[in-house]
Amino acid sequence: MSTDLTTDGTTDGTTDVELAITGMTCASCANRIERKLNKLDGVEASVNYATEKARVRYAESVTPEDLLATVEAAGYSATLPTSEPAGAGSGEMGSRDAELDALRDRLVVSALLTVPVIAMAMVPALQVDHWQWLSLTLAAPVAVWGAWPFHRAAVVNARHGATTMDTLVSVGVTAAFGWSLVALLWGSAGDPGMTHAFELSVDRTDGLSNIYLETAAGVTTFLLAGRWFEKRSKRRAGDALRALLDLGAKDVVVLRDGVETPMPADRLAVDDVFVVRPGEKVATDGVVESGTSAVDASMLTGEPVPVEVGPGDAVTGATVNAGGRLVVRATRVGSDTRLAQMARLVEDAQSGKARAQRLADRVSGVFVPVVIALALGTLGFWLGTGVATSAAFAAAVSVLIIACPCALGLATPTALLVGTGRGAQLGILVRGPEALEQTRRVDTVVLDKTGTVTTGRMALVDVVAADGTDPADVRRLAGVLESASEHPIARAVADGRTGTVTDFANLPGRGVRGSVDGHDVVVGRPALLAELGTPLDDALLAAVDAAETAGRTAAAVAWDGAARGVLVVADTVKDGSAEAVARFRELGLAPVLLTGDNERAARAVALEVGIDPDSVVAGVMPEDKVAHVRRLQAEGRVVAMVGDGVNDAAALAQADLGIAMGAGTDVAIEASDLTLVRGDLRVAADAVRLSRRTLGTIRSNLVWAFGYNVAALPLAAAGLLNPMLAGAAMALSSVFVVGNSLRLRTFR
């Protein structure tokens, strides 16, 4: 067990720590651990089943060892974190991979042993002499070793007076295997030449001539498959943090006594001075000492327009220097940086997500005690009527066997496999069952603007020429001049044009100038042209004002001593965004536009796609996005968030349903519940519809599976459970569940 401890002290004398929990099989396990921890004096704990972590705040009177002992006393295992940043450690990921690999190995071995057991039980032609003993040899490892996770969980639940799906599985598998063993050793089932005739008759026997090994093995294998699929989807819970922390610069060039010295970025200290060349990432948060440049801060703001910086301006770690050479003095390093704060926002949001307890567990909590009581009642009734003791026990055990959830084990994984497979064909990737649970209740969809509703790329959208000037000349000369610049707005103006530029000069934060085809050309802010003695006329000033009112960027163009025109650059709305908003409304979702861009640009986009201006929230930073999502949730709304950038990651994780655009950043994708492979917002509406359809299929599967059990219980209690009849009914139930799930393939 790890003994390294990473904690965060708080101002009230308490300490925060995060424990990694193993051994949980359902949401009730998480609730049980949470209750045990909170019973300790001075402890506040929150346990998340999806991320398999416990966030604990404890007083000085409690030690970390006390926390570990409490979790272990509840029947689970806990480890303390290492000293690595949250989510960045490889040890935890390695243990999760090992756990998943062990479950996969258990599933594969069980499946290989189970197939011949089921085949022999259901096909009389395969029932050679002593086939029943061969079945026992094959089924025993499955019923004992393969089903061990269910047996262990059932014992833990029993110690706490609780019953779950695991209890139902363990009791059913144990009853089927145990009774088969009794019938083989002490009944006539072990006699040479014994067969299960293919008869679907209803007969009362003493039960000692029948075996149910295929039930024990089949149920175990089906449920292991479901458990593996769920674990695999949960394994990626920490990937968002790793992807976020990987955005940071790995190396940095430190300036000491005029000498540039390369070193790992994690060795930077506050007040170190470092160099950021064009195209490099800023190593950590700091203040510019010298140099001017445009910094691509889209990871923070989500907006494509770069931020002009110069001496005295603050810069943020992991942003990209798009222009000149900068010398920066570090002001925050390590866990104090903006990037680390964003990682904590994502982690807090993931930990705080509503725990979706599986429907099967909730029903099992009632169903299991009823089945056990019915089995005991059946035993008592038949003993009271004076029938043979073996027949009475056979009827009681039959009740436990028929209650074993074969179709139940298929209900969720088959619907998920078909639904997610169909989603993948349509460009929709579903993270897991928790995501589906949320789509049913979502009533509000929060949309990031840049990269989600809009393209996220600056493009030339309008050219306004002065009287007597050809707009084509304005576009051509400005485009050739800007082709010599690396500025994002310059690239939009250049629009792929190339040509010969001489005497090129970059005027930081204001524009560029140079000679193109014999003309002295200037492109930049209107104020720059005024400084150079070529002010815009009234018509061009009106064009600039109209562009800025619409939230667009205007670049003025002059040559040969006169203002010639205005180029309007903007982030354009994607085709289909307006249709997507209309589809959201049809699904009962209220759209909200949330952006780091300015108010005017946001309202212009909202007007274009059909979002109410009152539902526009502009000028927000990443932490503000999270806060706004929380505010909506506090109002009782169930929120879906659609985004694509690093700045959206925490809000995606905080939302009840996070939907990431696949063309976006890895961080946003990892923090989301649904990922859209294509950058088409209309697919987000399809994703909600598909998720709701898949969830509905899971629910109908579960209703059928439990309904089959309930309908068959009277037969079992009456001692009329023919093994072939039981096997056929169980097979038909499973076939129905699979067939119902396959209907999802027709989703359009």
Side-chain angles (χ1 to χ4, degrees), residues 494-546:
D495 196 23
R497 286 178 172 76
T498 57
T500 303
V501 181
T502 58
D503 300 326
F504 178 82
N506 182 27
L507 309 173
R510 297 184 296 163
V512 292
R513 69 183 304 171
S515 181
V516 179
D517 295 345
H519 299 285
D520 183 15
V521 184
V522 179
V523 180
R525 298 179 184 272
L528 172 62
L529 270 64
E531 288 177 23
L532 297 176
T534 55
L536 303 181
D537 60 29
D538 291 343
L540 294 180
L541 284 173
V544 170
D545 186 59

Side-chain angles (χ1 to χ4, degrees), residues 45-57:
S46 174
V47 181
N48 189 292
Y49 169 60
T51 59
E52 297 180 338
K53 289 182 178 179
R55 297 180 68 88
V56 186
R57 172 169 293 185

Side-chain angles (χ1 to χ4, degrees), residues 1-79:
M1 180 178 292
S2 170
T3 54
D4 296 328
L5 179 62
T6 301
T7 57
D8 298 317
T10 57
T11 55
D12 58 0
T14 59
T15 306
D16 289 339
V17 68
E18 186 172 74
L19 306 178
I21 309 291
T22 55
M24 293 191 294
T25 60
C26 62
S28 60
C29 297
N31 295 336
R32 187 175 303 129
I33 296 170
E34 190 172 294
R35 286 198 304 270
K36 290 286 186 183
L37 287 171
N38 284 322
K39 283 182 180 178
L40 294 175
D41 289 337
V43 171
E44 293 179 25
S46 174
V47 181
N48 189 292
Y49 169 60
T51 59
E52 297 180 338
K53 289 182 178 179
R55 297 180 68 88
V56 186
R57 172 169 293 185
Y58 60 96
E60 295 177 358
S61 58
V62 179
T63 66
E65 288 69 26
D66 293 335
L67 302 177
L68 298 181
T70 300
V71 174
E72 290 178 1
Y76 306 89
S77 298
T79 54

